[in-house]
Amino acid sequence: MLTQQNTPKVYRHEIKYFISKQDAFLLSRTLSCCMQSDIHMGDRGGYWIRSLYFDNQDNRDYWGKVNGLPDRRKIRIRIYQTDTKTAKLEIKNKSSSYILKETVEISRDDSERLLRGESSRLLCYRDQVANRVYIYLHMERLRPVLLIDYEREAFLYPFENIRITIDKDVRASISPHSLYDKDISMLPVFNDERYILEIKYHTYLPFFIKKILSGLDLELTSASKYCLARQAVSI
């Protein structure tokens, strides 16, 4: 029996903006002086992420976001390198402006089974997230639909559990079964140099962060990378 540690559920605020390449560069330099850099950034100053999203035949999760439903949920698998031996299986819950991300680490073999529609191995994990994903996959007939790649810079501040990320070069593929293919062909989500800025925190932002953001030309958005990517590849 595979075991995982279940952690308390804590919702956080999430605010998203479109940000220009130039402003993203300035913001990154500023944040690096007053916040902690994510340990995964390393010497490269960022790290690569690939997410595989599930949806049902009616594209319920996509249309739920497009139609602005206040309470939504997405199921995804996330990896950080194609030769990894493990993957993160996640439920991203959204309630108004609050988010809750629940994660369980599964083996690469088990993630590949999910791509083939074989989910019974999730019952071998003594973990609530794995068990709920198993139920969602069966009850809602979810199947893999889309891959999204991007490069991320991430900065942390322990007060209010603040996390600020800048996502660059967002691109997508409608070949979700190629999750571990490093040479897969992908389409850019934006035809300009827009990046995505995300700010997550528990209850409120400190004044110094608000002041930093106020000096930038930011475009508030509620768009998700999943919906933007689906629109970019026209599915």
Side-chain angles (χ1 to χ4, degrees):
M1 180 74 71
L2 302 171
T3 63
Q4 294 284 338
Q5 181 69 37
N6 292 309
T7 56
K9 297 181 180 180
V10 179
Y11 277 84
R12 291 196 290 174
H13 287 278
E14 180 183 61
I15 306 174
K16 291 185 285 189
Y17 300 93
F18 292 131
I19 184 172
S20 68
K21 181 178 181 178
Q22 180 179 359
D23 276 351
F25 175 77
L26 295 174
L27 178 60
S28 175
R29 290 177 62 91
T30 302
L31 294 180
S32 65
C33 296
C34 58
M35 296 180 67
Q36 301 172 9
S37 297
D38 188 295
I39 60 173
H40 297 99
M41 287 174 58
D43 297 334
R44 293 177 57 243
Y47 57 98
W48 175 83
I49 297 175
R50 172 172 289 173
S51 296
L52 181 151
Y53 286 86
F54 292 79
D55 211 333
N56 67 8
Q57 293 291 337
D58 297 324
N59 298 313
R60 184 208 57 196
D61 293 340
Y62 171 78
W63 289 111
K65 173 63 177 176
V66 170
N67 294 327
L69 297 183
D71 297 319
R72 302 184 300 276
R73 179 185 65 241
K74 287 195 285 285
I75 306 296
R76 68 190 181 196
I77 297 174
R78 177 164 285 184
I79 62 172
Y80 301 91
Q81 52 190 20
T82 54
D83 60 352
T84 182
K85 300 301 181 184
T86 62
K88 289 185 176 181
L89 179 61
E90 298 182 342
I91 307 171
K92 185 173 182 182
N93 305 279
K94 180 84 170 178
S95 180
S96 187
S97 64
Y98 294 92
I99 62 161
L100 170 66
K101 187 171 71 173
E102 303 175 274
T103 303
V104 58
E105 188 174 86
I106 63 175
S107 70
R108 175 171 177 152
D109 287 344
D110 288 344
S111 68
E112 290 178 327
R113 287 186 176 95
L114 291 180
L115 301 185
R116 300 193 297 267
E118 303 169 12
S119 58
S120 60
R121 279 284 295 173
L122 294 180
L123 297 177
C124 297
Y125 291 81
R126 191 176 297 167
D127 182 274
Q128 295 178 5
V129 177
N131 296 163
R132 285 206 303 278
V133 170
Y134 173 82
I135 293 171
Y136 296 149
L137 290 173
H138 282 266
M139 291 187 62
E140 302 171 10
R141 299 180 181 274
L142 301 179
R143 87 284 190 208
V145 295
L146 186 75
L147 287 179
I148 300 176
D149 282 11
Y150 52 93
E151 303 290 332
R152 166 167 283 182
E153 291 185 64
F155 302 91
L156 314 172
Y157 195 71
F159 176 77
E160 287 294 315
N161 194 19
I162 296 167
R163 180 175 174 84
I164 299 178
T165 58
I166 302 170
D167 295 337
K168 316 170 186 180
D169 192 19
V170 183
R171 48 209 187 274
S173 169
I174 55 173
S175 300
H177 293 85
S178 302
L179 175 62
Y180 293 101
D181 182 357
K182 67 178 181 179
D183 297 319
I184 185 175
S185 177
M186 306 195 86
L187 294 173
V189 170
F190 302 118
N191 55 16
D192 53 21
E193 293 188 322
R194 276 184 297 172
Y195 295 161
I196 298 176
L197 171 67
E198 296 184 357
I199 303 167
K200 301 180 179 70
Y201 60 96
H202 276 164
T203 54
Y204 67 93
L205 288 172
F207 175 76
F208 82 91
I209 292 182
K210 292 181 179 179
K211 186 173 182 180
I212 291 171
L213 298 175
S214 68
L216 302 172
D217 183 17
L218 302 176
E219 179 186 349
L220 184 66
T221 179
S222 62
S224 71
K225 284 189 282 291
Y226 174 59
C227 286
L228 291 169
R230 293 207 65 168
Q231 292 161 7
V233 297
S234 300
I235 61 172

